[in-house]
């Protein structure tokens, strides 16, 4: 038992460095995924039929195929396709990982955005139009701010899922948390202890992320934010 703890403690600094890389890649991917997913989600509500068809095909493809396959397609497939037609293309591991995770994440976020926008009562858009607001102004000032509050819980779930999915980029040799664990196992031959430590680090990251999004949900909801003061006033 003491030996196992010693092995975990010795490996912990290297695993924490891997955790920092995991958070970095998650942050990049969620930002690009949010941008792309918001645009795709809004485009899915467009009256333009070809645009709706293209975005629906995008969402169906990235939600209907494994993320691992998408990583291989981007890191190995795209350069091979480009080189076959005479274009010298090569992806850096970090770039390939961020691109694959962002594209996959955008497909799921687009559905969250679409559902969030559709959850707002149509009467609010009609009222905004009656006040002379354009469609863009209505979306920016009326619809999207309200929808964003309703999107926070599913967006938190998507962030946590993405955080765990970063472990898949280990297949292309990118040294994030899981890959660091693999390398330590290869040198120490203590798989159980190291992978247990890796799992615990992921658990800490996901629990912290869950708490952050719970706080964000309360902070963005004026009713929940005022509830403690109201309760204190009532009790007094």
């Amino acid at each position: 038992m003491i030996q196992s703890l010693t092995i975990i403690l010795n490996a912990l600094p290297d695993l924490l460095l891997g955790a920092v890389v995991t958070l970095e890649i998650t942050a990049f991917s969620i930002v690009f995924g949010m941008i792309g997913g918001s645009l795709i989600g809004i485009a899915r509500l467009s009256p333009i039929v070809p645009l709706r068809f293209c975005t629906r095909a995008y969402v169906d493809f990235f939600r209907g195929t494994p993320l691992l396959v998408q990583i291989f397609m981007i890191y190995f497939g795209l350069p091979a396709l480009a080189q076959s037609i005479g274009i010298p293309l090569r992806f850096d591991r970090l770039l390939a990982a961020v691109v694959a995770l962002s594209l996959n994440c955008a497909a799921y976020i687009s559905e969250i955005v679409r559902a969030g926008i559709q959850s707002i009562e149509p009467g609010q858009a009609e009222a905004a139009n009656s006040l002379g607001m354009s469609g863009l102004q209505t979306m920016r000032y009326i619809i999207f701010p309200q929808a964003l509050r309703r999107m926070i819980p599913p967006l938190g779930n998507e962030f946590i899922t993405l955080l765990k999915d970063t472990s898949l980029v280990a297949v292309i040799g990118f040294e994030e948390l899981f890959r660091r664990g693999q390398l330590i196992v290869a040198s120490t031959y203590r798989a159980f202890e190291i992978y247990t430590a890796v799992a615990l680090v992921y658990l800490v990251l996901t629990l912290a992320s869950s708490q952050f999004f719970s706080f964000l949900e309360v902070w963005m909801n004026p009713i929940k934010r005022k509830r403690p003061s109201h309760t204190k006033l009532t009790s007094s």
Side-chain angles (χ1 to χ4, degrees):
M1 188 68 173
I2 296 176
Q3 185 180 6
S4 298
L5 289 174
T6 302
I7 292 172
I8 292 175
L9 291 175
N10 290 336
L12 199 56
D14 203 19
L15 293 178
L16 291 178
L17 290 176
V20 172
V21 176
T22 292
L23 289 174
E24 289 177 351
I25 202 172
T26 303
F28 281 121
S29 301
I30 200 69
V31 168
F32 292 127
M34 276 289 295
I35 295 171
S38 298
L39 295 176
I40 294 169
I42 294 172
R44 289 208 56 192
L45 301 173
S46 170
I48 304 173
V49 176
L51 181 60
R52 289 206 316 268
F53 176 79
C54 291
T55 53
R56 176 62 185 271
Y58 173 91
V59 171
D60 287 344
F61 176 80
F62 281 96
R63 292 180 68 193
T65 56
L67 176 57
L68 185 62
V69 175
Q70 296 165 20
I71 293 172
F72 273 98
M73 284 178 59
I74 291 171
Y75 186 67
F76 296 109
L78 287 182
L81 178 63
Q83 291 169 12
S84 67
I85 58 177
I87 301 176
L89 176 65
R90 187 173 181 180
F91 273 122
D92 177 75
R93 288 188 177 96
L94 174 61
L95 179 60
V98 170
V99 169
L101 292 171
S102 299
L103 292 175
N104 182 271
C105 180
Y108 287 92
I109 289 180
S110 69
E111 291 297 280
I112 296 173
V113 171
R114 180 181 64 84
I117 292 173
Q118 289 181 325
S119 70
I120 305 301
E121 296 76 7
Q124 298 201 32
E126 295 171 2
N129 291 335
S130 68
L131 293 174
M133 298 180 71
S134 65
L136 182 61
Q137 289 175 325
T138 301
M139 179 63 67
R140 179 180 177 183
Y141 296 110
I142 305 297
I143 305 298
F144 202 79
Q146 296 181 74
L148 183 60
R149 287 200 297 266
R150 302 182 182 184
M151 296 177 204
I152 293 299
L155 285 175
N157 292 336
E158 177 59 27
F159 180 87
I160 291 173
T161 300
L162 179 64
L163 179 64
K164 293 183 290 185
D165 284 345
T166 56
S167 61
L168 293 175
V169 301
V171 298
I172 59 175
F174 189 74
E175 293 189 14
E176 40 68 63
L177 175 57
F178 180 64
R179 180 60 178 167
R180 292 284 182 111
Q182 286 182 317
L183 295 175
I184 296 172
V185 169
S187 61
T188 62
Y189 301 101
R190 302 300 294 260
F192 179 78
E193 291 88 345
I194 300 304
Y195 287 133
T196 298
V198 170
L200 290 175
V201 174
Y202 274 116
L203 179 61
V204 170
L205 293 177
T206 54
L207 289 177
S209 301
S210 178
Q211 290 298 314
F212 171 76
F213 278 97
S214 296
F215 166 78
L216 190 62
E217 182 182 358
V218 173
W219 181 77
M220 293 189 67
N221 191 325
I223 297 176
K224 291 183 178 179
R225 208 170 20 176
K226 292 178 181 179
R227 186 173 296 169
S229 59
H230 175 73
T231 304
K232 183 178 180 181
L233 182 62
T234 303
S235 61
S236 60

